[in-house]
Amino acid sequence: MEIDISRFNSALQQSTAELLSRKSKKGYWEGCLASSALSTATAVVALELVHRHYLNKNEKPPFDYNLVEQGIDWLAKNVNPDGGWGDTTLNLSNLSTTALCWSAFYVVQNGQTKYPELVFNAEKWIKQHAGRIEPHILVPSIITRYGNDRTFSAPILMMCAIAGRLGNNGWKWVPQLPFELAALPQKFYAAVKMPVVSYALPALVAIGQARYSNLPSGNIFQKIFRSLARERTFELIKKIQPFSGGYLEAVPLTSFVTMALASCGQAEHPVVKDAVKFITSSARKDGSWAIDTNLAVWLTTLSINAICDAKQTQDIPISRDDVSFLFKWILNQQYRDSHQYTGAPPGGWAWTNLSGGVPDADDTAGALLALNRLMTRVSDSKQESSGGFINPIKSAINGINWLINLQNKDGGIPTFCRGWGHLPFDRSGADLTAHAIRAIISWLPFLPPQDAQRLEKPLKKAVDFLLTSQSPKGYWQPLWFGNQYERYDRNLTYGTSRVLISLQHLLRFEGERAAKAGEKAVNWLINCQNKDGSWGGFANSPPSIEETAWAVESLARVAMVPFCEQELRETIVEATIIGTNWLIEKVESGEWTKPSPIGFYFANLWYYEELYPLIFTVSALKAVQPVLKTIKKTK
């Protein structure tokens, strides 16, 4: 199997040009997140409750009610053929989103009367997948989906209770979240084992308050403790509410907080007022809402790391002015103060440049890699910014220290907070850990010897985590990307490919052990390749541009690393070529820009991003370039 070099070059040039053209007028990449049925359902209910409050007072609501009606109409137009809803228009129907949309039609004034057949079909879908719509059957089905994590099951059940879908005494089915724990100093949060993940603190407080208000505890000591904690926790969620009004810039989380407070007589609370401004300003013209405003920092660093290959930084299709701007822009997105939301120390980066962002491991690693790749193109070691001068080496050290301070006892890197690992989205992640290793090692040549030396121990610990967490079958499971066709929603192709990209760094610390792990992972990945050269999230799964690009990039990179016998290397190169040809065909046909719902957001919410297939295709084709040169030399 061979690659037509002219076709390859044309595909690389076309995909790179298209990615560059998607840069916003602001000078960086913002992208466009999928419209979300889940976000739309939660937004319309939040606004409906606030609207009712003002109407009951004979006062004018602070927003146009057309937003609610347009949202309900959008949900009606975008129901799946089976009567249910998925998180996005490309997702399969699931119980959580269908229950939320079903509830929304009951909450909104004319929802059920305007769309009676749709409501009937939704109830039919829920009966088919949960057993019945009665609360004693429906509630356990929803809770089972999330296990011990109440981050999402509690707000879903709260919205069902508000809609009257859980019977006359519906609040008894809503878990009582211990909002009073939020009154404790932040350093104790991990120790008390919060029932929600670290980023969901506002939901813990608001939903806990709503449940307590609508159905108080009979325990006198709990009543006293919770009564004493009410005002303090209200003050807390106001304190951590960002300037935009949107917690994490996320419509679902902000909407859940809004409806919770409105349901317990707090519709005019300052938190609600600012949240409503965020929700209304986030509405799209078609009546829908996305799960978040944008992923600007994440998309910009991914785009830079795709276009600027690590070994070819002097030959990139970006002008010096653009390089300088992007370099300064990324430096300016670094947090230089402790974050009031999570208590994270200075040094990290968030996924967005907006006020609702929170520093996290993946975006910090991505920013460090992007800065590293741009630095050789920037003439000055100090870049002027609105706040004075920023030393990139110092910023990199701060970012690296931030990642190291995040490291869990098991050696892995979690997303936001250290030590919250008892719930799924707070545990160490193979994808995050591999990304952090690559980012830190990329900066070692630029660091003072004493700084580089002290990083050896945490790096070795991180490598050990990756080698220990590998499945016996050879794959790694990621945290932040999924596949809706896999039994447990896991995207094993993503997890495995992200670790394989860091294989050369693993070999540095654990030569023989890492080589064996690499061989096992490569064999697993190649065995998952479809006959046409593509990949899905696991063996024999429907393919996507993103998943094929991830696999091609990782195999192309390991093909350049001497870790295996020649026979396996030839197999790797062959699989890479077949996958590359599949990508080339998709670029030529125009199908390569079609995104797939492979993104996992907070609380396992699915999303897709229109820039992902572009970014990952460019990354893959760039990685294949040196492989083709090696093949040519061999011949």
Side-chain angles (χ1 to χ4, degrees), residues 437-438 441 456 459-460 462-464 466-467 476 499-520 522 557-565 572:
I437 290 171
R438 289 175 58 213
I441 288 180
E456 292 289 313
L459 282 170
K460 190 177 187 306
V463 169
D464 183 68
L466 287 179
L467 298 179
W476 277 277
V499 178
L500 278 176
I501 285 176
S502 67
L503 180 62
Q504 62 178 320
H505 304 314
L506 308 192
L507 292 166
R508 169 179 174 171
F509 293 94
E510 293 279 357
E512 184 178 351
R513 189 177 168 209
K516 290 181 179 179
E519 289 181 12
K520 189 184 293 186
V522 162
R557 293 195 186 281
V558 299
M560 304 301 293
V561 178
F563 77 101
C564 60
E565 298 293 334
I572 293 170

Side-chain angles (χ1 to χ4, degrees), residues 33-211:
L33 287 160
S35 290
S36 165
L38 185 144
S39 291
T40 303
T42 59
V44 298
V45 169
L47 294 179
E48 174 73 24
L49 295 185
V50 174
H51 180 264
R52 285 184 193 172
H53 169 81
Y54 282 97
L55 286 186
N56 290 337
K57 292 181 62 181
N58 292 318
E59 294 181 9
K60 183 180 179 180
F63 58 87
D64 185 353
Y65 188 72
N66 283 330
L67 290 175
V68 175
E69 295 182 332
Q70 289 168 4
I72 282 291
D73 290 341
W74 186 90
L75 289 174
K77 292 175 184 175
N78 289 279
V79 64
N80 284 338
D82 61 7
W85 285 267
D87 292 2
T88 77
T89 56
L90 298 181
N91 279 111
L92 304 174
S93 299
N94 66 68
L95 181 58
S96 301
T97 304
T98 301
L100 289 170
C101 293
W102 172 58
S103 297
F105 282 92
Y106 276 98
V107 174
V108 174
Q109 191 173 21
N110 65 348
Q112 33 180 332
T113 55
K114 191 175 182 180
Y115 298 105
E117 184 178 355
L118 183 146
V119 173
F120 174 81
N121 289 336
E123 291 183 357
K124 182 179 177 181
W125 189 96
I126 293 172
K127 288 176 183 177
Q128 291 173 342
H129 293 82
R132 295 168 66 176
I133 60 172
E134 285 74 20
H136 69 283
I137 300 295
L138 178 59
V139 171
S141 297
I142 291 173
I143 289 177
T144 299
R145 189 170 185 225
Y146 300 99
N148 294 327
D149 187 353
R150 297 290 183 260
T151 304
F152 210 48
S153 60
I156 292 171
L157 294 175
M158 174 190 68
M159 189 160 146
C160 290
I162 289 171
R165 299 301 86 209
L166 302 182
N168 295 329
N169 194 20
W171 283 96
K172 73 177 183 180
W173 299 101
V174 181
Q176 175 62 70
L177 298 182
F179 68 89
E180 64 274 11
L181 295 180
L184 295 172
Q186 205 165 38
K187 62 183 179 181
F188 293 116
Y189 286 177
V192 297
K193 294 189 179 296
M194 292 282 202
V196 299
V197 290
S198 55
Y199 54 77
L201 191 61
L204 172 83
V205 171
I207 296 168
Q209 293 264 24
R211 170 63 162 74

Side-chain angles (χ1 to χ4, degrees), residues 21-34:
S21 73
R22 298 294 185 97
K23 188 152 53 76
S24 74
K25 293 179 180 179
K26 300 173 186 176
Y28 50 85
W29 286 265
E30 286 185 310
C32 183
L33 287 160

